[in-house]
């Protein structure tokens, strides 16, 4: 009777379920498993930090629709990755985490890196389990992948003690688990679609909000037709950008404060009424606003406020039925409508204010000048990864996306440190599916510090990622050299150095010299332009462009203080 090693069963089970990418850091007891994964045809990418590995695995899950795998060692390895698991779960991205664990016969007596890993993982998972025998591994792998992808996507965790990983199973005893079908589509009730149509048609100030769920659902084609035909104004959520192009005339991102405050009917397509959308409440919204809420998860319906129409549905079939009903009556929201006139006027005013700041190119630079010239030179179809405080917030409005799933940022959980991992995933995705497409990773200097050593991973795997660090010497804001020195001369550095301060104009670009490569330090727009042009010539290596800006640079003045608390 022939026997099969457990590590081979795991690897082949993942392959059977359509898994393509594994990210991780190996050590006892998962070393042999990583090699078995490669032998089975999985693509293994060794990272420098478990959290970054987890960020990369979840980003590849979002981009491909199939969860990436994050492979970690026991104890500290699993603990380090829980931040990434939480991010994926809150972000609703499919992810499989596989953790090694101490041998079962060492549990309770101080085994190496002993840790209650299944229990620790459960708060951040849809499914967490330890297969009891090697023969049952395919069952649990199939279930983990199915749970991660069916319904609202999320995380599954599988725990493998060392003794299970070292075991074998008789071939004929191994559970046979076929690849599960594609996730079933949830169709909307026809009567509820009609209610939504009637409410939209009667609205005087309608607004469509396109969320990340619409991007994950690949609903871009029908939604582009819907917006173009109806001429309804729309706002994208941060990672809903590009489902309908940011450059579409119906996009009112430049007037989002007015749009949200004054709309009388808001159609939510895969967007949640959480902090990003201010919970759907005044003063961000009119007290009498009516919501049409469409979400794949029924528990999300009526969250925070009661929606007038609440529909559990995949976004794509709902959008198709909505388009059909609106098109049947030739509904078109005219540009002559007073609501469109208000929005257009406000868009023009805000764009003029931003353009004025963008033209201020004398050193020290501001955010708007940097982003304006960055937008002019990066490819229009580039995947943009971004994180940081002002860097990410201002970049959302300045760096446009014309295609869906081409914007990855801190997301619903607001997690810092995601940038390099997301960029690595995006670069692998582009390499394998869209050769030649560029990835631009725009980082605040504080955000870059979380995961900066992943540049070594980028170099090792020949990934041509352009990292742009917008360097303001601090968290939110920093200090110029004279002010920094004066503050720190006043006493004990641990008591007088402001908690928000980082080093002044740190030369992060010098890190590229470790690999015999070139980085760029820029203080002037002409230097930034030259560096970007040189970076675009790289086809198999990353680079860092470190842009020093005014430490006091900030967002344009806001009408309301509460705008800075949470932003669309």
């Amino acid at each position: 009777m022939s026997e099969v090693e457990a590590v081979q069963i795991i690897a082949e089970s993942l392959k059977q379920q359509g898994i393509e990418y594994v990210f991780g850091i190996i050590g006892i007891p998962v070393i042999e498993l990583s090699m078995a994964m490669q032998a089975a045809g999985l693509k293994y990418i060794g990272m420098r930090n478990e959290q970054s590995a987890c960020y990369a695995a979840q980003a590849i899950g979002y981009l491909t629709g199939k969860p990436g795998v994050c492979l970690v060692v026991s104890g500290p390895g699993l603990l380090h990755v829980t931040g990434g698991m939480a991010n994926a779960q809150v972000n609703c991205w499919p992810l499989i985490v596989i953790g090694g664990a101490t041998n079962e016969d060492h549990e309770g007596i101080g085994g190496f890196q002993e840790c209650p890993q299944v229990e620790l993982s459960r708060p951040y998972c849809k499914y967490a389990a330890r297969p009891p025998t090697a023969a049952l591994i395919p069952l649990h792998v199939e279930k983990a992948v199915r749970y991660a992808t069916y319904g609202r996507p999320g995380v599954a965790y599988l725990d493998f003690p060392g003794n299970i990983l070292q075991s074998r199973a008789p071939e004929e005893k191994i559970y046979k688990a076929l690849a599960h079908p594609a996730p079933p589509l949830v169709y909307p009730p026809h009567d509820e679609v009609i209610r939504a149509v009637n409410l939209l048609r009667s609205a005087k100030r309608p607004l469509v909000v396109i969320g990340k769920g619409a991007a994950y659902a690949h609903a871009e084609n029908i939604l582009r037709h819907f917006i173009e035909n109806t001429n309804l104004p729309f706002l994208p959520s941060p990672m809903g950008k590009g489902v309908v192009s940011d450059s579409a005339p119906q996009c009112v991102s430049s007037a989002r404060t007015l749009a949200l405050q004054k709309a009388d009917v808001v159609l939510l397509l895969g967007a949640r009424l959480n902090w990003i959308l201010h919970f759907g409440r005044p003063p961000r919204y009119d007290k009498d606003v009516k919501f049409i809420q469409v979400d794949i998860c029924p528990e999300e319906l009526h969250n925070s406020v009661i929606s007038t129409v609440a529909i559990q549905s995949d976004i794509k079939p709902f959008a198709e039925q909505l388009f059909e009903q609106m098109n049947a009556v030739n509904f078109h929201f005219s540009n002559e409508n007073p609501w469109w006139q208000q929005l257009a006027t406000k868009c023009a005013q805000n764009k003029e204010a931003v353009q004025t700041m963008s033209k201020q190119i004398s050193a020290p630079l501001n955010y708007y000048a940097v982003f304006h010239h960055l937008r002019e030179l990066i490819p229009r179809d580039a995947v943009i990864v971004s994180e940081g405080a002002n860097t990410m917030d201002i970049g959302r409005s300045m760096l446009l996306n014309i295609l869906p799933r081409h914007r990855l940022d801190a997301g619903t959980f607001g997690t810092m440190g995601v940038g390099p991992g997301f960029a690595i995933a995006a670069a692998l995705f582009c390499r394998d599916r869209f050769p030649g497409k560029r990835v631009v990773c725009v980082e605040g200097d504080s955000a870059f510090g979380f995961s900066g050593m992943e540049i070594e991973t980028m170099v090792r795997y020949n990934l041509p990622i352009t990292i742009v660090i917008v360097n303001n010497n601090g968290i939110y804001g920093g200090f110029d050299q004279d002010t920094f020195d004066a503050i720190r001369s006043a006493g004990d550095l641990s008591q007088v150095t402001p908690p928000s301060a980082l080093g002044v104009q740190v030369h992060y670009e010098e890190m590229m010299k470790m690999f015999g490569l070139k980085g760029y330090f820029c203080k002037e727009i002409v230097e930034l332009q030259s560096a970007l042009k040189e970076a675009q010539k790289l086809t198999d290596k990353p680079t860092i462009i470190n842009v020093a800006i005014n430490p006091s640079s900030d967002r344009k003045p806001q009408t309301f203080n509460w705008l800075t608390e949470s932003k669309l």
Side-chain angles (χ1 to χ4, degrees):
M1 184 184 296
S2 62
E3 293 186 324
V4 183
E5 293 181 341
V7 292
Q8 182 182 344
I9 299 172
I10 297 170
E12 292 180 353
S13 298
L14 291 168
K15 186 73 173 177
Q16 171 107 19
Q17 298 304 324
I19 301 300
E20 185 177 357
Y21 299 93
V22 181
F23 303 83
I25 298 178
I26 65 163
I28 297 171
V30 298
I31 297 171
E32 291 78 10
L33 177 55
S34 65
M35 294 186 286
M37 288 171 164
Q38 288 183 316
L42 299 173
K43 297 171 182 175
Y44 180 86
I45 298 91
M47 305 284 285
R48 299 303 301 266
N49 177 279
E50 286 96 346
Q51 284 195 29
S52 289
C54 197
Y55 298 143
Q58 63 194 257
I60 208 73
Y62 172 68
L63 293 170
T64 66
K66 271 289 183 182
V69 171
C70 180
L71 178 66
V72 296
V73 300
S74 49
L78 188 279
L79 286 169
H80 289 169
V81 90
T82 51
M85 294 168 70
N87 187 72
Q89 186 73 356
V90 174
N91 232 20
C92 309
W93 284 1
L95 168 70
I96 306 293
V97 176
I98 293 178
T102 191
N103 286 12
E104 288 174 302
D105 59 344
H106 291 175
E107 290 181 339
I109 56 174
F112 175 65
Q113 297 184 332
E114 182 182 350
C115 185
Q117 295 174 186
V118 176
E119 291 82 357
L120 283 169
S121 298
R122 281 204 174 103
Y124 316 112
C125 291
K126 294 177 71 177
Y127 178 68
R130 171 186 286 185
T133 67
L136 287 173
I137 286 171
L139 181 150
H140 288 277
V141 169
E142 185 278 334
K143 190 172 182 179
V145 176
R146 178 161 44 86
Y147 270 53
T149 52
Y150 276 34
R152 173 183 277 180
V155 185
Y157 173 67
L158 294 176
D159 195 63
F160 290 101
N163 59 293
I164 294 291
L165 290 172
Q166 294 159 16
S167 68
R168 297 169 176 264
E171 189 167 5
E172 63 212 38
K173 299 284 188 182
I174 298 172
Y175 188 93
K176 306 300 180 186
L178 299 176
H180 57 73
L185 283 178
V186 179
Y187 282 76
H190 180 70
D191 290 350
E192 295 299 296
V193 175
I194 298 302
R195 288 185 63 207
V197 167
N198 290 337
L199 192 56
L200 271 177
R201 288 177 58 192
S202 64
K204 294 182 179 179
R205 300 181 302 280
L207 179 67
V208 179
V209 177
I210 300 174
K212 178 173 71 248
Y216 186 80
H218 288 248
E220 57 267 17
N221 289 337
I222 186 61
L223 286 179
R224 289 180 178 217
H225 287 305
F226 171 72
I227 292 295
E228 184 178 350
N229 278 33
T230 61
N231 199 43
L232 288 170
F234 80 91
L235 286 174
S237 72
M239 278 187 277
K241 284 164 61 68
V243 172
V244 181
S245 174
D246 286 344
S247 61
Q250 295 84 8
C251 182
V252 293
S253 291
S254 296
R256 59 185 176 274
T257 298
L258 173 67
L260 292 175
Q261 266 199 312
K262 301 299 183 182
D264 62 351
V265 174
V266 177
L267 171 61
L268 296 167
L269 296 173
R272 291 174 279 179
L273 288 176
N274 54 19
W275 68 273
I276 294 177
L277 284 177
H278 298 266
F279 311 105
R281 299 173 183 171
R284 182 58 143 164
Y285 297 85
D286 185 273
K287 63 182 180 62
D288 297 319
V289 64
K290 295 179 173 63
F291 288 102
I292 303 168
Q293 188 180 12
V294 187
D295 200 284
I296 195 173
C297 178
E299 289 84 358
E300 189 62 40
L301 302 177
H302 305 298
N303 182 51
S304 187
V305 297
I306 300 297
S307 295
T308 304
V309 182
I311 301 174
Q312 182 196 8
S313 175
D314 279 87
I315 300 301
K316 196 172 182 180
F318 171 82
E320 289 169 347
Q321 293 189 28
L322 182 68
F323 175 75
E324 181 181 345
Q325 294 296 326
M326 298 289 271
N327 199 41
V329 295
N330 294 317
F331 179 86
H332 185 83
F333 196 69
S334 172
N335 286 327
E336 303 305 314
N337 187 287
W339 178 229
W340 253 129
Q341 295 292 310
Q342 279 184 274
L343 292 170
T345 300
K346 192 63 177 177
C347 280
Q349 290 174 350
N350 286 341
K351 286 179 179 177
E352 184 178 354
V354 168
Q355 190 174 26
T356 298
M357 298 177 75
S358 299
K359 291 179 178 178
Q360 296 171 4
I361 61 172
S362 57
L365 298 171
N366 66 60
Y367 284 103
Y368 293 89
V370 170
F371 286 133
H372 171 75
H373 290 88
L374 180 60
R375 183 176 73 192
E376 284 191 330
L377 287 173
I378 64 174
R380 294 183 72 239
D381 67 343
V383 178
I384 299 171
V385 179
S386 185
E387 63 171 332
N390 289 332
T391 297
M392 182 175 65
D393 291 340
I394 299 171
R396 283 172 177 165
S397 61
M398 295 292 293
L399 300 176
L400 305 184
N401 291 98
I402 63 170
L403 295 172
R405 299 170 298 281
H406 278 57
R407 165 105 192 174
L408 305 173
D409 68 20
T412 311
F413 211 33
T415 306
M416 291 295 105
V418 298
F422 282 3
I424 287 168
L428 289 164
F429 176 74
C430 293
R431 181 199 69 182
D432 294 343
R433 288 165 171 79
F434 303 100
K437 186 183 286 286
R438 305 295 301 201
V439 176
V440 180
C441 183
V442 185
E443 299 273 302
D445 50 335
S446 172
F448 179 72
F450 283 80
S451 307
M453 270 311 299
E454 295 301 340
I455 61 170
E456 189 274 330
T457 308
M458 300 174 191
V459 172
R460 191 167 9 113
Y461 290 98
N462 295 336
L463 300 176
I465 298 166
T466 302
I467 300 173
V468 179
I469 300 174
V470 185
N471 188 349
N472 70 346
N473 308 337
I475 302 171
Y476 300 111
F479 301 90
D480 59 42
Q481 191 68 64
D482 290 343
T483 305
F484 189 67
D485 291 342
I487 291 172
R488 284 159 55 85
S489 66
D492 186 322
L493 293 182
S494 64
Q495 293 184 312
V496 299
T497 302
S500 63
L502 297 175
V504 176
Q505 291 189 4
V506 175
H507 283 267
Y508 299 103
E509 79 286 349
E510 293 290 313
M511 296 174 74
M512 298 311 301
K513 289 185 178 179
M514 295 189 293
F515 314 105
L517 300 172
K518 184 179 180 182
Y520 303 87
F521 181 72
C522 309
K523 287 186 174 182
E524 306 278 354
I525 287 299
V526 65
E527 295 171 332
L528 173 62
Q529 292 171 324
S530 175
L532 284 168
K533 290 174 183 176
E534 289 297 314
Q536 298 303 314
K537 296 176 184 178
L538 296 174
T539 58
D540 65 350
K541 290 292 185 290
T543 194
I544 293 175
I545 301 174
N546 183 16
V547 187
I549 68 167
N550 189 333
S552 301
S553 181
D554 203 351
R555 304 177 72 211
K556 69 180 180 64
Q558 302 297 304
T559 306
F560 302 99
N561 289 333
W562 44 263
L563 286 181
T564 61
E565 296 175 8
S566 53
K567 299 161 274 284
L568 179 67

